[in-house]
Amino acid sequence: GTRRRNGSAASLSMGVVASLRSSCSAAGGDADRAAGPGGEASNDAALKIQQLMDLREAGQPLAGLSAFAKQYGDEAFCRRLLIKYDGNVQKSAERYKQALRWRELHRDLIVQRAFVPAGDYRVIGADLTGRPVLYQCLRNQMLAGPQSIDQICVCMLQAIENMPEGVDKATHVWDLHGVNVRMNLAAGASLRETMVAADSYFAERLHELVVIDMPRLAVLIKDLIWPLLQDKTKAKIRFVSAQQAKQFFGSACPDDVHGRIAEAIEQNRDSGLSFEQRKAKWQRVTPQGELVHVFS
């Protein structure tokens, strides 16, 4: 009945916003600013970074991890955590431990990049500053939420590999046209696992999140969730229509990338195209700038 449909949409919208909150939970800045003001900021930042890196040493909580896991906990990663958590060493340390343990548990995924195809999530190009742009349309969702985590993580790893020198963030595009509510009702477990990775391993990797065509019933998130979000989180989320998205990326991306995004948006709304026809056109960009099928 109507009540069930409304409840399902509300559940989905709450899950979507929980994921937004996780992905966007901190704004940009620099590590020195996060450490504190004044001339002693650099020394303070260096001390905090060393405190985090020391967690890998003998007698410390992460001493037993493999060299593969410890390798990720370098100075650059520590700086990102301190930016994300406003210089709070205790919070950063918890996420540092979480991230390296996550890496240990997901070694095969990180190294082999093997996953069961769950949808069309892919690096579709880069904006004018070189930041990767990742796109997905939930009309193309093939598996329920919890089963899509591996592909999302691999997509993020691919985006990081595509980042040129000086770039450390990416823009994500969530096209919610055609979302299947039933496939996302049990999103709680997947959101929790995604949040672990987003808040730790992929900390400070998000530039902006563009959400296209939120379902009408899900607009209630504005009343339920939006007031709870920090202003710096809200600033990273852009809710747009399909037409507005095409206009936005027309000014933010090179012509070829804008063309691919606009084409994907249009194809996903073309009732004359079958799923297999759409799937054949899912291409991602490699670090070398080549276009290959998303699952190759």
Side-chain angles (χ1 to χ4, degrees):
T2 302
R3 180 175 298 177
R4 171 173 285 185
R5 289 196 299 272
N6 289 353
S8 297
S11 174
L12 172 63
S13 63
M14 294 284 281
V16 167
V17 175
S19 187
L20 300 187
R21 254 183 123 173
S22 167
S23 299
C24 312
S25 58
D30 57 56
D32 289 348
R33 186 182 68 199
E40 298 181 358
S42 295
N43 290 337
D44 192 18
L47 179 61
K48 291 179 177 182
I49 288 170
Q50 191 59 53
Q51 284 181 269
L52 296 179
M53 295 177 67
D54 284 347
L55 292 170
R56 303 173 296 179
E57 301 304 318
Q60 295 299 310
L62 303 179
L65 294 184
S66 67
F68 174 80
K70 292 180 179 180
Q71 178 185 20
Y72 193 71
D74 61 8
E75 181 178 340
F77 179 57
C78 293
R79 285 184 178 276
R80 290 200 303 276
L81 284 176
L82 289 168
I83 290 170
K84 182 174 180 68
Y85 296 106
D86 297 323
N88 187 310
V89 176
Q90 184 175 354
K91 287 184 179 179
S92 298
E94 287 306 310
R95 298 306 187 187
Y96 186 90
K97 291 183 285 187
Q98 202 171 53
L100 269 60
R101 288 167 178 156
W102 185 91
R103 182 175 170 87
E104 185 91 300
L105 290 173
H106 294 84
R107 178 169 185 162
D108 288 345
L109 179 68
I110 293 168
V111 173
Q112 300 175 13
R113 307 290 172 88
F115 59 87
V116 178
D120 64 342
Y121 216 158
R122 63 199 187 272
V123 181
I124 200 168
D127 65 17
L128 290 170
T129 65
R131 286 186 291 257
V133 177
L134 296 81
Y135 175 88
Q136 68 165 335
C137 179
L138 291 190
R139 184 187 182 192
N140 298 318
Q141 186 174 358
M142 300 160 65
L143 299 174
Q147 298 169 287
S148 66
I149 296 172
D150 285 356
Q151 182 174 347
I152 293 172
C153 291
V154 168
C155 192
M156 273 300 304
L157 293 169
Q158 291 169 340
I160 292 169
E161 289 181 345
N162 283 22
M163 292 175 182
E165 187 72 25
V167 171
D168 60 5
K169 292 180 173 65
T171 293
H172 291 249
V173 185
W174 291 1
D175 188 345
L176 302 189
H177 175 75
V179 60
N180 185 324
V181 174
R182 287 188 176 183
M183 292 185 75
N184 293 280
L185 288 180
S190 60
L191 283 173
R192 283 192 293 273
E193 186 168 343
T194 302
M195 287 168 69
V196 169
D199 284 344
S200 57
Y201 197 82
F202 296 116
E204 277 299 295
R205 290 298 193 184
L206 180 78
H207 170 65
E208 189 169 27
L209 176 62
V210 180
V211 182
I212 304 175
D213 284 351
M214 280 286 270
R216 182 173 297 178
L217 290 175
V219 174
L220 58 84
I221 64 169
K222 290 287 185 179
D223 298 325
L224 296 177
I225 299 297
W226 200 250
L228 304 178
L229 299 180
Q230 294 178 313
D231 288 341
K232 60 185 181 181
T233 300
K234 295 176 184 177
K236 286 191 172 188
I237 308 172
R238 185 186 299 265
F239 294 94
V240 297
S241 66
Q243 185 59 36
Q244 289 170 332
K246 287 187 281 187
Q247 292 172 349
F248 170 69
F249 287 110
S251 61
C253 297
D255 289 344
D256 59 334
V257 177
H258 169 236
R260 284 199 293 274
I261 296 172
E263 183 180 27
I265 292 172
E266 292 167 2
Q267 288 175 349
N268 288 320
R269 286 157 178 76
D270 187 345
S271 59
L273 290 177
S274 68
F275 173 77
E276 290 301 326
Q277 288 173 317
R278 296 196 308 274
K279 183 179 176 183
K281 298 178 181 292
W282 298 348
Q283 291 185 309
R284 66 177 177 88
V285 180
T286 69
Q288 296 73 37
E290 300 173 347
L291 284 171
V292 299
H293 193 270
V294 63
F295 301 138
S296 64

